[in-house]
Amino acid sequence: MGSGKPEKTQKPGRTPKPFGPNNPKSQSKFKKKTNTKNTANRQIKTKTTSVTGNNKNNQPSQPASPSQQLRYFLSQFESANGVQLSSLELESIKDSCILDVSQELGQDVMKLEKHIKEAFGAKWKEELCEGKHIEWKIEAGSPAVLVVAPSALRSIELLRGMRTLTKECHAVKLFSKHMKIDEQVSLLMNRVNIASGTPSRIKKLIDIEALGLSRLSVLLLDIHTDVKGYSLLTLPQVRDEFWDLYKNYFHQQLVKGDLRICLYGPIPNGNEFKGKSVELADGDREQLDS
């Protein structure tokens, strides 16, 4: 029997849409959510690969020549102190004042003593290993090699690389961590061939005339970067303390040719050299870019 209401008829060409998971809209929503998750995973993987993966941009650059190392160091000095060295000073500072260890690409700390020995030539044993204090000839508390590092830990690590040189004459640690200045003053009353420390404590000991510089031949600067990318020349407070120390006690010795500097660590690559704070001669820049 009819109800009196006309039955709904479907338009031709259209089929009823099913409900539930078989609904195409539900499927598209479900697929879209899954694709978003997969995309996120791919992005994470891509990011991880770019940071930790081996690519051409992360390959070590060629070692810098002594000339390039010197130009880099002096440009850092000028930039940090807001000064410009005169042509007379620049002419006085020769490439030979750089103790070159750049050929050791890995710069293994255990090979450090080899380069230090070479710097002293035939007299290395007399200058670096002798422990006897010779009055009127060897000034107490005046090292032949002074290591400047950004932290106490790095100071100790670098001393390990010269362990065989310090058997008869122990190296002196010049940093504030776990060490009182009175204790260091006492140690510096004896003959010292090698010392290692941080800029602030080294300067303080020089200021009070406990640490002498009359025998100093090699100033080794640890410019390796830490996990955050900072080094002796870039870590803000330490950088300022170092340049204050260098400007007051070492620069004039370098100008006079009485001091050699060893930049122990990778020199920035060619792209970093092109920055405003560092200017290289065209020939040096071409050599770095090659």
Side-chain angles (χ1 to χ4, degrees), residues 14-268:
R14 296 185 64 182
T15 56
K17 297 178 180 179
F19 295 98
N22 292 327
N23 190 320
K25 287 188 177 180
S26 300
Q27 290 179 356
S28 64
K29 288 181 180 179
F30 180 76
K31 288 181 180 178
K32 188 174 183 180
K33 187 174 181 180
T34 303
N35 290 338
T36 303
K37 186 175 180 181
N38 290 337
T39 303
N41 288 336
R42 283 197 299 271
Q43 289 175 346
I44 292 172
K45 288 179 181 178
T46 302
K47 185 176 181 180
T48 304
T49 303
S50 65
V51 174
T52 60
N54 293 324
N55 53 55
K56 293 182 179 180
N57 293 331
N58 290 335
Q59 290 179 356
S61 58
Q62 292 297 317
S65 68
S67 175
Q68 291 164 346
Q69 294 178 52
L70 179 60
R71 289 177 184 275
Y72 168 74
F73 178 75
L74 294 179
S75 66
Q76 291 296 303
F77 170 69
E78 290 179 326
S79 176
N81 293 280
V83 298
Q84 186 171 1
L85 295 174
S86 66
S87 57
L88 185 62
E89 284 180 300
L90 291 173
E91 287 174 5
S92 302
I93 305 174
K94 308 296 184 182
D95 294 349
S96 57
C97 74
I98 293 292
L99 176 59
D100 186 25
V101 296
S102 64
Q103 295 304 317
E104 295 286 352
L105 290 178
Q107 296 214 322
D108 182 359
V109 71
M110 300 313 293
K111 296 179 181 178
L112 186 56
E113 67 176 42
K114 167 191 162 187
H115 299 286
I116 298 300
K117 285 180 183 178
E118 291 174 352
F120 288 87
K123 293 184 177 181
W124 70 266
K125 195 168 186 178
E126 178 185 344
E127 294 289 332
L128 302 173
C129 301
E130 285 288 337
K132 294 180 181 180
H133 173 62
I134 305 173
E135 198 169 356
W136 306 112
K137 185 178 180 182
I138 302 294
E139 181 186 351
S142 181
V145 177
L146 181 60
V147 179
V148 185
S151 67
L153 181 60
R154 282 296 296 172
S155 298
I156 295 172
E157 287 177 357
L158 292 172
L159 283 179
R160 289 194 186 114
M162 296 180 277
R163 187 174 294 171
T164 60
L165 301 176
T166 58
K167 289 180 179 179
E168 293 185 26
C169 186
H170 296 298
V172 178
K173 301 167 187 173
L174 308 177
F175 45 77
S176 58
K177 192 171 184 178
H178 306 309
M179 296 195 74
K180 296 180 179 180
I181 196 165
D182 292 341
E183 180 184 354
Q184 291 165 334
V185 169
S186 179
L187 293 171
L188 290 169
M189 289 180 179
N190 303 306
R191 174 169 175 165
V192 177
N193 296 328
I194 299 172
S196 179
T198 53
S200 59
R201 179 53 62 92
I202 289 173
K203 185 176 185 298
K204 190 169 186 177
L205 288 164
I206 298 175
D207 288 342
I208 63 174
E209 298 183 353
L211 177 63
L213 302 176
S214 62
R215 293 181 61 219
L216 186 61
S217 296
V218 175
L219 181 68
L220 190 149
L221 307 179
D222 176 32
I223 60 171
H224 278 88
T225 54
D226 59 19
V227 293
K228 294 182 179 180
Y230 290 110
S231 73
L232 177 69
L233 302 182
T234 58
L235 186 61
Q237 182 178 349
V238 174
R239 174 195 61 199
D240 296 339
E241 291 169 348
F242 166 72
W243 287 121
D244 186 36
L245 168 67
Y246 173 81
K247 183 172 56 177
N248 282 282
Y249 292 110
F250 302 132
H251 183 65
Q252 287 306 314
Q253 285 185 271
L254 187 73
V255 173
K256 292 177 183 177
D258 296 333
L259 180 66
R260 299 181 72 188
I261 288 180
C262 173
L263 297 179
Y264 187 68
I267 301 296

